[in-house]
Amino acid sequence: MLYVLSRSVGQSRSAGLASAVGLALGGIVLAVATALGLAKLFENVPMLVVILKYCGSAYLVWLGVTMIYNARSDSHVNLKADQVTFKSYSSIVWQGVLVELLNPKTVLFFALFLPPFVEIEGGAASAGDVQTQLLVLGILVPLTAVPSDAIIAYMGGSLTKSINHRQKFRERLGWLGGILLIAIAVNLHLGLF
């Protein structure tokens, strides 16, 4: 979001939207890579899905606890974007793709977050079935981020000013995000919703 915000505030709304498109394309590339790489591995070692389910839920809990722990301190940091180097829209899209592909947190997210949602009935599934599930889940991740990135790109400057002066609101958002991540992790094991 900060990347989209910096492009939107520093260059233009269109540049922010171009960066959002680049991030989404990078996410789709990661989804395809995850599906192709993990599907065969899951076919050969079905127990790996169970192991990654626990690793993925632990990662979500860690992210959630970190968000909650940092909610207060993060709410006191002013968001700011300085003037950025002017780039063409096509180069911004490619930069967005690279930002997404080279972000270790995003790569880790795809590797640990998607496998727990793969359904393997009876402990085994074909590589094609696992691959399809991972691909669909993986593509949904960047596609669900596009609307929020587009809002950030469109409302960047005014949104930043508004949020900077609402520290309690930002702190509550941090808590809410953290609690949601922890709830998703718990649901992976209990199937509550």
Side-chain angles (χ1 to χ4, degrees):
M1 284 187 174
L2 289 176
Y3 171 68
V4 173
L5 181 64
S6 69
R7 274 285 153 209
S8 182
V9 173
Q11 186 169 335
S12 69
R13 286 180 177 162
S14 298
L17 290 171
S19 64
V21 168
L23 292 174
L25 291 173
I28 290 170
V29 170
L30 281 174
V32 170
T34 301
L36 294 176
L38 290 179
K40 188 66 176 168
L41 191 59
F42 290 167
E43 181 184 29
N44 295 334
V45 188
M47 188 61 182
L48 187 59
V49 174
V50 175
I51 293 167
L52 284 176
K53 185 174 191 171
Y54 284 101
C55 291
S57 59
Y59 178 62
L60 287 174
V61 169
W62 176 78
L63 285 175
V65 168
T66 302
M67 283 181 77
I68 291 168
Y69 181 76
N70 293 330
R72 175 164 284 166
S73 61
D74 287 350
S75 72
H76 294 288
V77 175
N78 281 333
L79 301 173
K80 181 181 156 188
D82 294 324
Q83 188 69 24
V84 297
T85 306
F86 181 83
K87 293 184 181 255
S88 68
Y89 296 135
S90 61
S91 67
I92 292 171
V93 169
W94 283 113
Q95 185 180 35
V97 170
L98 287 175
V99 164
E100 193 74 357
L101 290 176
L102 298 176
N103 183 346
K105 284 185 180 179
T106 306
V107 174
L108 186 61
F109 179 84
F110 274 88
L112 292 179
F113 183 74
L114 297 182
F117 293 99
V118 172
E119 291 290 325
I120 297 183
E121 296 181 25
S126 71
D129 181 44
V130 171
Q131 200 171 55
T132 301
Q133 289 181 59
L134 285 170
L135 190 59
V136 169
L137 291 169
I139 289 174
L140 285 174
V141 172
L143 292 182
T144 57
V146 168
S148 63
D149 285 346
I151 290 169
I152 293 294
Y154 186 74
M155 300 177 60
S158 56
L159 189 62
T160 301
K161 289 176 188 170
S162 174
I163 289 176
N164 275 341
H165 300 295
R166 303 174 96 189
Q167 292 173 343
K168 276 290 183 199
F169 175 73
R170 288 173 56 196
E171 185 176 343
R172 288 184 185 124
L173 278 179
W175 272 85
L176 178 64
I179 289 169
L180 285 174
L181 289 175
I182 293 168
I184 291 169
V186 169
N187 188 58
L188 284 173
H189 300 285
L190 302 180
L192 301 172
F193 48 91

